[in-house]
Amino acid sequence: MMPDWRTIFGHDAPYDEQRDGIETAIETARDDGFTVIEGACGTGKTMLALTAGLDLVRDPDSQYERVFVLTSVKQQLRQFETDLKTINANLPDDWKPISAMTLVGKADVCPYSRENAGNIDDETVYDRCEGLRERTRDLTGEGGAVTAQNLASQARSQQTGLADSGKRRSGASFLETAGEPTPYPPEMPEYNDVEYCPFYAQFLDDMPEDGDPIEAVPFDFDDMGLIEPADLVANSVQWGTCPHSMMGALLGHVEVVVGNYYHAFDPVTTATFTGALVDDSTFLVCDEAHMLEPRVRDLVSQSVGDSTLRDAESELTRVIQPVKFDDRDAKHTTADAELVRTELEDANVTLRELEDTRDFIRDLRDELDRRVTAHLEREHRGWKTNLTDLPDEEIPLRDPTVPQPDEISEWAADAGYDGGTWARAEAVGAIVARILNEAEDEDRERAALPAGRVLGEWYRNDHEEYFREIVLERTWNDREPDDSWRRAYNAQLAMQNCVPSGAIGEQLGEFGGGILMSATLEPLEIFEEVSGLGHLEADGRPVVERTFGLNFPESNRESFAVDAPKFTYDNRGAPGEETPERQVYADAIRDVARSPGNVLVGMPNYAEATWAAEHLRGVVDKPVLLDESSADEATEDLKDEFFGGESKVLVTSLRGTLTEGVDYRGDRLRAAVVCGVPIINTASPRTRAVRTAYERKFGDGFTYALTVPAVRKARQALGRVIRGSDERGIRVLVDSRYARESWDSVREFFPETEREEFQPVSPDMLSFGLERFWDRN
């Protein structure tokens, strides 16, 4: 008989919540359904999800063959890896270990990229890889000049010859990576002056004709347990084969795959790499599922920049010239007429289509220039003399509150460009990219293909759920004229998917079942609507909810909802104004910041975070760190500084990256205070369009699109404090909307257990409550 799930569970005994969650998820998935779990930190959601999924995978009577884990946070990815190792370490001796693999990008596994060899690095690896693979296939395919075996052997011979010449093994005679030598030199080999990848050639040679790629894997992976990226690289390069190809070959054959949201929801990624995982034999785990909606919205929204359109126009011209004019008169191109004609004929694309697409893109850029210029003249008179002071901008192409065709689509129709011009742009872009890569022998992504792809989608997508606008992003380009907006801006034609629930629900429906989980999903009924789970219920597939609160001793924590004036711009004024309302917040964050240990202060935006940090530096004895909108590396440095040495205060925006997905375990954080409800700028055209679309779809656009996501941001920040049964800390919400019932109260969007814990207090009683807690602890 099949042992029950406790054989897989990696610890001695589950929490009551884990037991309920595991058994619910197993039962629901057997009926092709999904379990939605909100579980506070410490409820063991990661082990819960893995146990439920693996119990089904190991059951011979189940449809499930693998667990596919998605998370948007690196810290959580590491937690899944840790729990997989724990499971394997505690399996019965006669059980095979759980086979698992973490998905990473090419830069992490390409032997050349890892060692900055072969003229490949992190920035060039994708384009170089695709070009080298294509040339390797051309050399070895039908009618090719050589076999894959001969290419790999030639590269091995080159290495052997270098070694025989007397060069030491530690020299440049062969490439080493992940602590293992490879059979090839660090220089990229060539065959008849054509570069190729020997690792990929070996993979092609190992591939059986019309066979499964798994048969090309030369090492035994069944007993390896979790295959981490370094393990994959080391085992692959020993055999001289491509680690990234090995990753693709193993995808459908390991029991657990850990990846990111784009591995399941990005159309390009699923079409080219992870499609084998998207079927009803996969048990899906969406971790940090409160981010599912915004992450997928980004993946299914598209844009194309002015610079990309410019490059696409140039590429089209370089392909058109050799055929349009005699070869000896063609300028600025290396493509010859015969090559272009042959490729166009094979792709069933005409020269006239290339010319129409080029003319369309050229005229589109002119229209874009006209609209941007008109906007700047209207909103920023004298802008040509103040280019450095221009802000980021959105230029809507329709009224955000009224779904209707956008102005660019109407301009194109008036200019004589019909739907065929839009629709054929992607096919035209693809053949242009192919011709130029072949003619110029240079591996890089061409602009014509992504530009054509966006233009095609611009035409195909509707005008109710998609909002189109021009987005101006600050940049600086010294090559543009002094009086040109292009010197200060990159303009993008952007198309926002306002309501991604359809795309999410449709993709979820491709999987057999699974778990969607997070510490902040409430209200669950709203989460289910915006994440498309209603589509599954309409098809008769069950969706079951579970909510698990903190199971640590209540005496270890204190939670306050301070009944302070609403922290809105109308109430508080600008950061420089010392209003009575702002003073209430200044006193509250001061009182919390004086708590022993590290303190996190979450403000609605970075401007308010700057104000709070400046105030605290004058009233607390600890160092005060300010998180600013910056690159990931700077944020990581700031986090390390906060964790190290003496106690500090860290002030950040609630819409930044330090309030969720960061592990503040142990003594890293003793208190967190959240000021205001971090609702995003409601005046933005994009926000207004999303709100309108949600209004039409769900009935309450402000609540669904703005309020609930803001409350989740606040709850994520508070969730950083208590991470274990022996941790003690303070959690404080400051704003009357958290403290009392009113027309704009947000208390109803908290789980019942949290509403009970966050009892309202007046501002003047906060310091007393804080002192009483710390005296006890």
Side-chain angles (χ1 to χ4, degrees):
M1 293 180 62
M2 174 71 184
D4 76 4
W5 55 263
R6 290 170 181 80
T7 310
I8 293 172
F9 188 77
H11 300 296
D12 292 338
Y15 300 132
D16 291 341
E17 293 90 345
Q18 282 180 309
R19 182 184 299 108
D20 180 24
I22 291 168
E23 293 177 351
T24 299
I26 292 172
E27 181 181 350
T28 304
R30 290 191 188 280
D31 292 332
D32 303 327
F34 284 84
T35 304
V36 178
I37 297 176
E38 170 167 315
C41 174
T43 49
K45 298 187 295 297
T46 305
M47 185 63 75
L48 181 164
L50 288 173
T51 301
L54 286 169
D55 179 74
L56 291 164
V57 169
R58 286 284 171 110
D59 182 354
D61 296 327
S62 164
Q63 73 191 60
Y64 295 100
E65 298 177 3
R66 71 193 64 84
V67 178
F68 190 13
V69 174
L70 309 176
T71 181
S72 60
V73 179
K74 285 186 178 180
Q75 178 66 38
Q76 291 303 106
L77 184 148
R78 299 290 170 251
Q79 186 61 53
F80 277 99
E81 293 178 333
T82 298
D83 280 12
L84 280 166
K85 292 175 183 177
T86 300
I87 289 173
N88 277 332
N90 291 282
L91 287 177
D93 293 339
D94 58 343
W95 275 46
K96 291 184 65 174
I98 304 297
S99 61
M101 180 174 63
T102 301
L103 300 181
V104 293
K106 286 182 179 179
D108 295 307
V109 293
C110 171
Y112 294 108
S113 174
R114 287 169 58 91
E115 306 303 325
N116 286 321
N119 198 25
I120 297 180
D121 54 32
D122 287 355
E123 294 184 0
T124 62
V125 62
Y126 288 93
D127 293 338
R128 286 279 283 150
C129 175
E130 289 307 306
L132 287 163
R133 284 187 172 193
E134 184 170 349
R135 285 194 288 277
T136 306
R137 289 192 295 266
D138 289 342
L139 286 169
T140 61
E142 185 176 348
V146 65
T147 66
Q149 181 182 38
N150 286 343
L151 285 183
S153 297
Q154 175 180 292
R156 291 173 189 265
S157 299
Q158 182 178 347
Q159 182 268 333
T160 302
L162 287 168
D164 292 344
S165 70
K167 292 189 177 181
R168 290 167 29 186
R169 287 180 61 81
S170 60
S173 60
F174 60 94
L175 182 68
E176 289 188 40
T177 191
E180 293 291 339
T182 78
Y184 312 121
E187 298 80 16
M188 197 66 68
E190 295 182 359
Y191 180 85
N192 288 346
D193 296 327
V194 177
E195 277 189 328
Y196 67 92
C197 176
F199 294 97
Y200 188 62
Q202 183 64 59
F203 169 70
L204 293 178
D205 184 47
D206 291 336
M207 271 283 290
E209 191 171 343
D210 299 326
D212 190 328
I214 195 64
E215 298 179 42
V217 178
F219 52 88
D220 183 9
F221 65 91
D222 282 337
D223 296 320
M224 291 177 62
L226 173 64
I227 306 173
E228 297 184 75
D231 302 325
L232 179 70
V233 174
N235 281 277
S236 300
V237 300
Q238 290 180 65
W239 296 90
T241 194
C242 170
H244 192 263
S245 297
M246 292 298 97
M247 188 188 300
L250 292 169
L251 268 181
H253 297 272
V254 294
E255 293 169 292
V256 181
V257 177
V258 182
N260 204 318
Y261 278 118
Y262 68 82
H263 288 121
F265 290 98
D266 176 49
V268 176
T269 302
T270 54
T272 59
F273 186 50
T274 53
L277 304 178
V278 185
D279 64 24
D280 60 6
S281 65
T282 296
F283 181 92
L284 184 69
V285 176
C286 286
D287 186 41
E288 300 294 327
H290 67 283
M291 293 301 296
L292 178 61
E293 177 195 10
R295 286 283 188 269
V296 176
R297 175 183 286 123
D298 288 343
L299 291 172
V300 295
S301 299
Q302 295 177 296
S303 64
V304 59
D306 172 66
S307 58
T308 301
L309 292 172
R310 176 200 63 209
D311 293 343
E313 180 187 351
S314 173
E315 290 168 4
L316 282 156
T317 298
R318 281 155 42 207
V319 171
I320 291 169
Q321 278 186 334
V323 182
K324 192 70 175 178
F325 307 103
D326 187 86
D327 282 352
R328 63 178 176 272
D329 294 329
K331 299 176 181 178
H332 311 300
T333 182
T334 55
D336 60 61
E338 183 178 356
L339 169 65
V340 175
R341 290 192 183 98
T342 300
E343 294 291 348
L344 291 179
E345 184 176 351
D346 289 345
N348 194 28
V349 174
T350 67
L351 179 64
R352 181 54 184 266
E353 286 176 318
L354 262 65
E355 292 177 310
D356 287 347
T357 302
R358 181 192 58 183
D359 293 346
F360 176 47
I361 291 176
R362 182 192 60 228
D363 291 347
L364 181 59
R365 288 194 71 220
D366 289 343
E367 178 65 10
L368 180 62
D369 176 60
R370 186 188 69 77
R371 288 178 176 274
V372 172
T373 301
H375 172 82
L376 294 176
E377 292 288 353
R378 184 171 59 252
E379 302 294 332
H380 304 283
R381 290 196 175 274
W383 59 273
K384 292 184 180 181
T385 60
N386 288 300
L387 289 176
T388 57
D389 295 331
L390 292 174
D392 288 350
E393 294 269 23
E394 292 179 72
I395 308 174
L397 293 171
R398 67 164 170 84
D399 184 338
T401 64
V402 182
Q404 60 186 335
D406 65 279
E407 294 169 2
I408 288 291
S409 297
E410 292 180 333
W411 159 83
D414 292 342
Y417 295 111
D418 60 17
T421 306
W422 293 92
R424 290 289 286 169
E426 183 173 358
V428 168
I431 191 60
V432 166
R434 178 176 176 82
I435 290 171
L436 290 179
N437 280 340
E438 185 170 345
E440 299 178 0
D441 194 23
E442 184 180 3
D443 299 323
R444 61 185 180 87
E445 184 179 24
R446 304 292 174 171
L449 178 55
R453 185 179 295 126
V454 174
L455 294 178
E457 291 299 313
W458 190 284
Y459 171 71
R460 286 187 287 269
N461 290 332
D462 66 50
H463 295 275
E464 182 171 346
E465 295 196 355
Y466 286 85
F467 175 65
R468 296 159 175 83
E469 62 181 348
I470 298 170
V471 176
L472 300 179
E473 292 185 344
R474 291 283 303 138
T475 183
W476 194 255
N477 188 346
D478 290 326
R479 291 173 294 180
E480 295 290 347
D482 290 344
D483 61 348
S484 170
W485 60 262
R486 290 185 169 101
R487 190 176 180 86
Y489 280 128
N490 179 34
Q492 292 184 325
L493 290 170
M495 181 170 46
Q496 173 90 347
N497 184 321
C498 296
V499 187
S501 58
I504 299 172
E506 182 178 340
Q507 193 70 349
L508 289 175
E510 296 295 321
F511 295 96
I515 294 175
L516 289 81
M517 63 188 195
S518 170
T520 55
L521 292 183
E522 290 279 5
L524 293 183
E525 63 274 13
I526 291 180
F527 170 76
E528 290 177 15
E529 286 189 84
V530 300
S531 59
L533 288 167
H535 294 270
L536 304 184
E537 290 183 295
D539 291 338
R541 299 177 65 176
V543 176
V544 180
E545 302 172 355
R546 288 292 185 271
T547 299
F548 305 131
L550 275 172
N551 54 14
F552 306 133
E554 288 191 32
S555 59
N556 286 359
R557 63 185 184 269
E558 195 72 84
S559 308
F560 299 102
V562 181
D563 190 4
K566 290 185 291 188
F567 200 61
T568 61
Y569 185 84
D570 289 341
N571 275 7
R572 68 183 185 252
E577 299 179 31
E578 295 303 323
T579 61
E581 291 79 8
R582 184 175 288 277
Q583 188 59 49
V584 173
Y585 284 84
D587 293 343
I589 61 175
R590 176 204 62 203
D591 292 343
V592 179
R594 287 175 175 173
S595 297
N598 282 349
V599 177
L600 179 70
V601 178
M603 304 300 291
N605 53 54
Y606 284 109
E608 291 296 343
T610 300
W611 166 79
E614 291 173 350
H615 165 69
L616 289 173
R617 285 173 180 144
V619 295
V620 298
D621 295 331
K622 304 174 184 177
V624 177
L625 307 179
L626 173 61
D627 174 35
E628 300 176 280
S629 182
S630 56
D632 291 343
E633 185 176 343
T635 302
E636 286 298 312
D637 291 341
L638 183 69
K639 184 175 67 176
D640 292 341
E641 184 180 359
F642 183 55
F643 291 158
E646 62 183 319
S647 298
K648 305 177 186 69
V649 180
L650 174 58
V651 187
T652 185
S653 165
L654 290 164
R655 310 204 70 81
T657 59
L658 289 173
T659 54
E660 58 181 288
V662 179
D663 189 359
Y664 293 89
R665 64 182 181 277
D667 292 334
R668 290 180 168 184
L669 192 64
R670 287 299 182 90
V673 54
V674 167
C675 294
V677 182
I679 294 173
I680 61 175
N681 177 13
T682 58
S684 159
R686 183 177 299 184
T687 301
R688 293 168 61 206
V690 170
R691 178 181 173 181
T692 298
Y694 273 57
E695 199 93 32
R696 297 169 68 90
K697 184 82 171 180
F698 305 117
D700 188 346
F702 194 89
T703 295
Y704 278 65
L706 300 171
T707 306
V708 169
V711 172
R712 288 180 182 144
K713 289 288 184 183
R715 294 182 60 213
Q716 280 286 325
L718 297 176
R720 303 304 100 197
V721 181
I722 304 295
R723 315 288 289 180
S725 59
D726 59 345
E727 296 185 15
R728 292 170 170 79
I730 292 281
R731 305 177 299 170
V732 181
L733 293 162
V734 190
D735 193 303
S736 62
R737 288 170 289 182
Y738 295 118
R740 58 171 122 142
E741 301 294 341
S742 62
W743 70 271
D744 57 352
S745 171
V746 297
R747 285 182 68 83
E748 65 178 296
F749 304 127
F750 285 73
E752 184 177 353
T753 54
E754 284 189 27
R755 286 200 299 272
E756 293 173 353
E757 283 204 41
F758 282 89
Q759 291 301 314
V761 298
S762 62
D764 59 338
M765 291 298 293
L766 175 62
S767 60
F768 173 74
L770 295 170
E771 290 173 8
R772 185 178 60 180
F773 175 80
W774 290 122
D775 286 345
R776 278 201 323 265
N777 291 272

